[in-house]
Amino acid sequence: MATLLIKNGRVIDPASGHDAISDVWIEDGLVKGVGPNLSSPSAQVFDATGLVVAPGFIDMHVHLREPGFEHAETIETGARAAAAGGFTSICPMPNTAPVNDSPTVTTYIIEKARRHAIVNVFPIGAITKGSQGEELAAIGSMRQAGAVAISDDGRPVMNARLMRRAMEFARSFGMPVINHCEDLHLSAGGDMHEGAESVRLGLRGIPGCSEDVMVARDILLAEVTGARYHVAHISSRHSVAMVAFAKLKQLPVTSEATPHHLALTDTGMIPYDSNYKMKPPLRSSCDVNAVVEGVVSGAIDAIATDHAPHPGSEKMQEFEKCPFGILGLETALGLSLEHLVHSRKITVARLVELFTINPARILGISRGTLTPGAHGDVTVFSTDRQWTYDVNKSFSKSRNSPFDGAAFRGGPVATIVSGKIVWQLED
Ligand SMILES: [Zn+2]
């Protein structure tokens, strides 16, 4: 029987309200107890003095590129990057080739992860066949195969009638519907946020309203259907306000923000550098402030990375031609600490909530807490260690990050999955 004892850390478990210097005892993959002065003679001991010990972080929005684009990332390499970022569970979006729109692909991902991934992988199935937005995917059978949510991420569901049907189905299967909110007619041809900066750079803009109109539509549909609805990578001030309004009306609406939408604005990007090209685009400082305030007020429930690996060959093209998206797993905690905790917007405990129990509840997965009997998934992190991100040392197969060379205060120290240390900071 394998036993791990994590000693003397500040254990923060928002689900139970626990926040004190304690030990965590994990036996046979499950949390056995949390408390002071625990001891077990045969246990492997991890000294967490001066560190935060939290439930394993969950990233509910990643792209692992397998099957189909293994030159950019595989389930194995993406899982390694996740572990190095402090994540014990990740949810890959379905925009692979083939698209995860059937139980066959869902099962393939789960089986591949079981054999090669060092963290837990909970796949998200497509809303429509091939994510083409025309016909519903096999939602019920993907659910049975293990999909935890549905989304056509990368693309929005443009047809409101189809979205309504998807919500009705998802509701009957107890799954949330996650939408990448972007009205394609409004965003067509755009490469960055529409504003003074896009005019100055001579690039076509993606207006904030391309996100807003779809968030508005979906909230109305969530009310009609009673479905659980989640806004992916929220980035505009009006969208944040509308989610706050939906919550006020007690609709089952939630949202996530990415670390880069908390950290960067359209004026902070290096012009024509493809590592600053993503969807939604980096928005105005007014929008960024609204996203940060949304995290503070609770309009935003989770931090998710939208980790989107692209190989150099694709990202090296002219700005207009290169694909959208950046890496996110390894810099997520450092950026979140910087822009939320060190800036005194939220507490460390609230930060832990955004990475753990909130995404677990949205997805309905039994993770995100350290209560006895829970899975022994733990993230150990520092709030003050100085370090610099070197993208060339990334576990990802790709290198597309705007944060290469960025200095951070605080970040992951050890990642534990089912009582096993799967990644640990080398000193
Ligand atoms: Zn997306």
Side-chain angles (χ1 to χ4, degrees):
M1 294 207 296
T3 309
L4 177 69
L5 206 49
I6 306 163
K7 297 286 288 180
N8 298 320
R10 176 182 168 193
V11 178
I12 301 179
D13 183 12
S16 68
H18 186 102
D19 185 349
I21 303 293
S22 316
D23 303 337
V24 179
W25 178 0
I26 304 172
E27 194 170 294
D28 291 334
L30 303 176
V31 177
K32 186 104 180 183
V34 177
N37 304 316
L38 301 180
S39 70
S40 165
S42 58
Q44 177 190 0
V45 174
F46 184 94
D47 180 9
T49 307
L51 301 171
V52 176
V53 176
F57 284 10
I58 301 160
D59 188 347
M60 63 183 295
H61 190 149
V62 301
H63 299 274
L64 297 180
R65 306 300 190 211
E66 185 178 2
F69 308 100
E70 288 85 350
H71 59 292
E73 196 78 287
T74 63
I75 291 168
E76 181 176 358
T77 59
R80 285 193 185 283
F87 293 98
T88 59
S89 295
I90 50 178
C91 304
M93 284 295 180
N95 58 341
T96 46
V99 167
N100 182 12
D101 61 0
S102 71
T104 315
V105 183
T106 306
T107 304
Y108 173 87
I109 294 167
I110 289 173
E111 280 307 313
K112 197 96 193 198
R114 212 193 302 278
R115 278 180 283 132
H116 300 290
I118 58 173
V119 302
N120 309 303
V121 174
F122 296 101
I124 293 171
I127 296 175
T128 64
K129 281 185 188 161
S131 287
Q132 293 294 314
E134 282 159 13
E135 235 181 299
L136 287 183
I139 298 169
S141 42
M142 283 191 294
R143 175 60 155 178
Q144 275 187 332
V148 294
I150 51 170
S151 179
D152 274 353
D153 185 62
R155 298 172 185 226
V157 178
M158 283 294 289
N159 181 326
R161 185 165 178 270
L162 201 61
M163 189 56 156
R164 179 184 180 178
R165 291 276 289 145
M167 285 188 182
E168 287 165 354
F169 265 89
R171 183 172 178 239
S172 67
F173 295 116
M175 304 167 95
V177 179
I178 303 172
N179 200 9
H180 163 123
C181 293
E182 175 189 355
D183 183 298
L184 295 173
H185 302 297
L186 286 168
S187 66
D191 291 309
M192 66 174 287
H193 177 60
E194 180 183 282
E197 194 63 9
S198 63
V199 172
R200 194 176 75 81
L201 297 175
L203 290 169
R204 288 175 72 177
I206 300 170
C209 65
S210 65
E211 178 173 325
D212 303 333
V213 296
M214 195 164 277
V215 171
R217 180 202 76 177
D218 286 356
I219 288 172
L220 295 170
L221 292 176
E223 180 165 17
V224 170
T225 59
R228 286 195 288 130
Y229 170 69
H230 181 79
V231 183
H233 43 52
I234 199 163
S235 73
S236 82
R237 57 189 187 275
H238 294 310
S239 294
V240 176
M242 284 187 283
V243 170
F245 176 70
K247 285 179 181 250
L248 209 62
K249 289 186 73 181
Q250 301 195 311
L251 298 176
V253 172
T254 53
S255 69
E256 72 194 25
T258 74
H260 52 270
H261 287 113
L262 297 166
L264 296 170
T265 65
D266 59 344
T267 53
M269 56 187 270
I270 296 175
Y272 315 109
D273 180 338
S274 64
N275 287 327
Y276 292 82
K277 183 175 176 181
M278 65 283 283
K279 272 190 177 175
L282 298 171
R283 299 218 184 262
S284 70
S285 57
C286 192
D287 292 303
V288 172
N289 290 340
V291 172
V292 171
E293 288 310 317
V295 171
V296 175
S297 71
I300 293 167
D301 306 83
I303 294 176
T305 67
D306 194 9
H307 177 80
H310 291 288
S313 52
E314 288 171 20
K315 272 291 202 182
M316 269 347 193
Q317 308 172 77
E318 292 159 63
F319 194 80
E320 286 95 333
K321 285 187 186 153
C322 65
F324 295 88
I326 59 166
L327 302 184
L329 287 163
E330 291 161 324
T331 49
L333 178 55
L335 286 168
S336 303
L337 282 166
E338 181 181 345
H339 295 279
L340 296 171
V341 176
H342 298 324
S343 58
R344 299 185 181 278
K345 294 290 183 185
I346 62 170
T347 61
V348 181
R350 167 71 176 149
L351 185 77
V352 170
E353 191 177 60
L354 294 159
F355 275 116
T356 60
I357 190 64
N358 284 3
R361 282 183 181 143
I362 292 165
L363 298 165
I365 58 174
S366 61
R367 309 275 161 170
T369 175
L370 294 173
T371 48
H375 292 274
D377 296 352
V378 181
T379 297
V380 182
F381 67 95
S382 154
T383 55
D384 53 20
R385 187 180 75 85
Q386 309 274 350
W387 63 287
T388 302
Y389 182 57
D390 179 355
V391 78
N392 289 315
K393 290 186 181 158
S394 173
F395 285 94
S396 171
K397 271 195 164 183
S398 295
R399 295 287 177 261
N400 52 311
S401 168
F403 302 110
D404 183 34
F408 293 108
R409 182 153 70 94
V413 172
T415 306
I416 295 156
V417 176
S418 297
K420 191 173 159 227
I421 301 173
V422 296
W423 174 84
Q424 192 172 353
L425 187 70
E426 292 168 28
D427 34 30

